[in-house]
Amino acid sequence: MTKPVLVVDELKKHFAVRRGFLGPPDQVLAVDGVSFAICEGETLGLVGESGCGKSTVGRAILRLIEPTSGSIRVAGQDITRLSNRAMRPFRRELQIIFQDPFSSLNPRMTAGDIVGEPLHAHHLASGKALRERVAQLFDRVGLSRAQMKNYPHQFSGGQRQRIGIARALALHPRLIVCDEPVSALDVSIQAQVINLLMDLQRDLKLSYLFISHNLAVVEHISHRIAVMYLGRIVEIAAKETIFTRPGHPYTEALLSAIPVPDPAIRDTTPALQGDVPSPVRPPPGCHFHTRCPIAVARCKAETPPLREIAPGQQVACHLR
Ligand code: SF4
């Protein structure tokens, strides 16, 4: 791996929510002090259950929502508080692929116009040159040039996600936030889209933040994996470490929830009980203590810091 493309330090995003007319608003601690880096050509998988804040991290990095505090550095430059105008060059560097390609594609535009729109908006191409660039992008993502004139409803789910990928590639980004990009697709199509993303990464030296609720989905594509729980990263390590020597009880529980094809292999790790608590008033101390099978009294009072328990493996747990 090479130099970091993205460095996120102590990122927080808190939302104010009002439950009634009286009294001060509550704070939703959607992201509560998240730090990580992604190198050129690297994929960091960001995993956690629905509501853990992982998509908020992705949107805050792109400045689609404003962070409450912390910093975001892209290729060494702090972009956390840049104005819209100053952000413009960085909007080319940072792109996103959404979960639901249908709702993220304008149904009244042809696929060719959708893919060409960023090039047009950034005044990078027009006329024949624009059409040729769009045609090349269609080639690159495995769509035919003849499909440029079709509308989103005329494509399958997997093809629509390829349109979303082509649109993300149009501006030669450094980093793409892939926000649950295959969750809405059939399993066989998921593999095709993930393989396409991996081919593109190899050829274009792209970096990915690959967000998913499913550890099994990020396994194939990730170099490292960060596990999030209620707004915090509880473990971050190389993929192989996460799958063979997980350090955090929550990571162990997520792994035990992955179906094993061989019935002779039985996982004895207790499955995760209950739902993720509300991020409005998360449990004190270790947020995970209400569901943790090995919690002790200290876990309710003290927040465990993320610390290195083995080379390259950081875990937030008092007992590890
Ligand atoms: Fe479980 Fe305590 Fe570790 Fe949290 S700090 S994961 S509650 S043992």
Side-chain angles (χ1 to χ4, degrees):
M1 292 297 165
T2 53
K3 56 187 186 276
V5 168
L6 174 75
V7 178
V8 175
D9 189 33
E10 278 299 309
L11 183 70
K12 293 187 182 181
K13 179 61 191 178
H14 298 173
F15 297 98
V17 285
R18 199 171 277 283
R19 290 171 176 235
F21 292 112
L22 300 174
D26 276 326
Q27 294 286 318
V28 176
L29 311 184
V31 179
D32 199 24
V34 161
S35 303
F36 59 83
I38 303 179
C39 291
E40 185 180 284
E42 184 185 31
T43 299
L44 177 71
L46 186 60
V47 178
E49 288 163 286
S50 175
C52 73
K54 54 194 188 302
S55 290
T56 307
V57 170
R59 282 165 171 71
I61 288 168
L62 295 168
R63 297 277 314 278
L64 298 177
I65 54 175
E66 292 303 317
T68 304
S69 64
S71 70
I72 302 156
R73 299 179 76 84
V74 175
Q77 176 143 2
D78 191 339
I79 65 158
T80 324
R81 273 162 270 282
L82 291 183
S83 66
N84 265 341
R85 189 185 174 87
M87 261 307 284
R88 203 168 157 80
F90 292 97
R91 299 223 179 272
R92 290 171 55 177
E93 311 260 326
L94 305 169
Q95 292 292 315
I96 187 165
I97 301 167
F98 294 99
Q99 172 181 357
D100 181 357
F102 198 54
S103 61
S104 67
L105 304 178
N106 186 335
R108 284 184 286 277
M109 289 173 72
T110 65
D113 286 346
I114 289 169
V115 173
E117 191 182 30
L119 292 162
H120 182 70
H122 284 260
H123 310 293
L124 294 176
S126 60
K128 201 171 164 197
L130 176 66
R131 281 194 298 281
E132 179 52 27
R133 172 76 182 128
V134 171
Q136 289 169 359
L137 286 163
F138 269 60
D139 295 341
R140 195 67 193 77
V141 300
L143 294 170
S144 77
R145 294 184 175 208
Q147 290 174 301
M148 285 166 58
K149 61 181 183 338
N150 292 353
Y151 288 86
H153 73 270
Q154 296 172 289
F155 292 87
S156 67
Q159 288 174 329
R160 282 197 287 269
Q161 199 53 291
R162 287 173 191 266
I163 297 170
I165 293 169
R167 180 176 58 183
L169 290 178
L171 299 177
H172 298 293
R174 283 172 189 259
L175 179 120
I176 300 179
V177 172
C178 307
D179 189 2
E180 301 264 13
V182 297
S183 303
L185 305 177
D186 292 344
V187 173
S188 60
I189 309 295
Q190 286 184 1
Q192 291 173 15
V193 171
I194 286 179
N195 287 338
L196 171 63
L197 288 169
M198 291 174 74
D199 288 348
L200 294 169
Q201 179 172 60
R202 187 194 57 228
D203 296 346
L204 306 174
K205 295 188 171 56
L206 291 167
S207 305
Y208 296 136
L209 177 65
F210 194 100
I211 297 169
S212 176
H213 64 280
N214 188 341
L215 255 178
V217 168
V218 301
E219 180 179 9
H220 194 52
I221 194 169
S222 301
H223 298 98
R224 289 182 303 133
I225 293 174
V227 179
M228 261 188 99
Y229 188 78
L230 269 185
R232 298 174 181 162
I233 288 178
V234 296
E235 178 160 8
I236 183 164
K239 169 181 67 180
E240 296 75 15
T241 307
I242 291 281
F243 279 87
T244 56
R245 286 182 288 111
H248 196 281
Y250 181 57
T251 314
E252 290 171 358
L254 289 181
L255 283 169
S256 73
I258 298 175
V260 181
D262 183 351
I265 302 172
R266 290 188 56 200
D267 189 339
T268 53
T269 311
L272 203 49
Q273 302 292 321
D275 295 326
V276 184
S278 166
V280 177
R281 288 194 197 87
C286 174
H287 287 345
F288 188 55
H289 80 252
T290 55
R291 302 169 82 192
C292 180
I294 59 168
V296 294
R298 182 184 176 196
C299 305
K300 297 182 184 174
E302 287 178 42
T303 301
L306 198 60
R307 60 188 175 80
E308 195 160 79
I309 63 163
Q313 182 178 24
Q314 292 181 294
V315 172
C317 175
H318 294 307
L319 305 187
R320 298 291 163 90

